Amino acid sequence: MMHSPLTSVIRKWQREFSSNGRVTCWTVVERSTWQMLEAEGLLACPIDKANDDPIFQDAYAWMKDSMASTGVLAPEPDLSPWWCWVRSGENHPEPYTEDAEGLHDPVVLQLSVPAEQIVLSCFDLWHFVLNKCYVWTSELDEQNFDRAMENAAEGSDAALQLQRRMQKSWSAVFELDQTAVDMGPFEAKSIQGCFWTLRLADVTAVIERDALTSRHQAIPSESFAAVPRWAL
């Protein structure tokens, strides 16, 4: 069976980060969500319950479309995926204290998710999607795109073509070993994941916030922006 290039890339990293067909990851939730999961056994995240910034609505919609295009389908309409850390940083896979900011009584769920159900992406390159930026393949490519944008009239066919070119470039967020945009060595890249259903059976540990390390203490020079968190 032939797969699209994007599907092949996503499945490659599902395999690379899996052990016995499962990927270890961590998601930060409010304790009430954990208690609800204990009671119900599985949880989906309705769109109206997700703390998605409306400014980035297009980016989150793009991620959901990308998941669907590779066969990682939402179990029902009007859901937002759960987001998680697969690797927060070099030699530090679990979340940092800062990931729990803004949540009431947060806990970290350590999970073992079936590899075929999670889509991995580069946390830093994800900001190109959030900010609607072009992911270049070389310095010359970046210069050519910027020049074309300057010369394209708003609403013109040229501008629309450049918009489609930019959106196509975003697939690089799934190419975790890409080097055209310097995000540091592969081993130090922050890797995030998206999956649709939070299952009690996949929880392998519950970590209290007090047990987490501060990112600023671990890497003083690194700036931080948290992945989305949810409070059901």
Side-chain angles (χ1 to χ4, degrees):
M1 180 179 177
M2 295 293 293
H3 299 296
S4 70
L6 178 58
T7 300
S8 297
V9 167
I10 286 175
R11 292 191 176 181
K12 169 188 174 181
W13 295 111
Q14 288 171 334
R15 292 191 299 270
E16 290 286 334
F17 278 86
S18 69
S19 176
N20 297 320
R22 305 183 79 87
V23 175
T24 299
C25 58
W26 294 260
T27 191
V28 187
V29 299
E30 293 188 349
R31 193 177 304 275
S32 59
T33 301
W34 164 232
Q35 293 169 342
M36 191 183 303
L37 179 62
E38 285 187 295
E40 299 186 13
L42 60 84
L43 293 176
C45 186
I47 288 177
D48 61 352
K49 297 294 185 180
N51 294 332
D52 293 348
D53 191 322
I55 296 175
F56 304 126
Q57 186 175 17
D58 290 345
Y60 291 121
W62 176 85
M63 176 60 79
K64 290 188 287 186
D65 288 344
S66 297
M67 294 173 71
S69 72
T70 58
V72 182
L73 303 174
E76 57 187 81
D78 299 324
L79 294 178
S80 180
W82 297 93
W83 291 69
C84 63
W85 284 114
V86 175
R87 184 172 70 198
S88 291
E90 188 171 12
N91 300 319
H92 196 287
E94 67 274 11
Y96 290 94
T97 303
E98 291 80 4
D99 288 307
E101 291 180 352
L103 293 181
H104 173 69
D105 196 12
V107 295
V108 177
L109 304 183
Q110 179 176 300
L111 307 168
S112 179
V113 177
E116 70 276 7
Q117 296 177 12
I118 185 170
V119 172
L120 280 57
S121 58
C122 174
F123 170 72
D124 292 300
L125 274 183
W126 168 241
H127 288 74
F128 281 65
V129 184
L130 290 174
N131 295 303
K132 298 183 179 179
C133 296
Y134 179 66
V135 184
W136 58 86
T137 58
S138 67
E139 184 176 348
L140 179 59
D141 180 45
E142 178 187 16
Q143 294 171 352
N144 288 340
F145 184 85
D146 289 344
R147 189 178 303 111
M149 284 292 290
E150 291 173 0
N151 295 330
E154 185 176 354
S156 65
D157 288 343
L160 293 175
Q161 289 175 5
L162 288 169
Q163 179 75 12
R164 287 192 289 268
R165 178 178 167 188
M166 178 180 65
Q167 291 178 348
K168 185 177 180 180
S169 78
W170 292 344
S171 64
V173 304
F174 304 112
E175 299 170 6
L176 304 184
D177 55 354
Q178 74 82 35
T179 57
V181 180
D182 185 10
M183 293 299 174
F186 173 75
E187 296 76 12
K189 288 183 179 180
S190 298
I191 308 300
Q192 60 188 7
C194 291
F195 59 94
W196 288 110
T197 305
L198 185 60
R199 293 182 173 85
L200 180 61
D202 294 340
V203 177
T204 58
V206 181
I207 305 169
E208 296 293 337
R209 180 180 181 178
D210 292 346
L212 301 178
T213 303
S214 170
R215 176 180 291 265
H216 301 296
Q217 291 176 344
I219 313 174
S221 62
E222 183 176 350
S223 61
F224 177 76
V227 294
R229 286 79 46 93
W230 287 263
L232 290 182

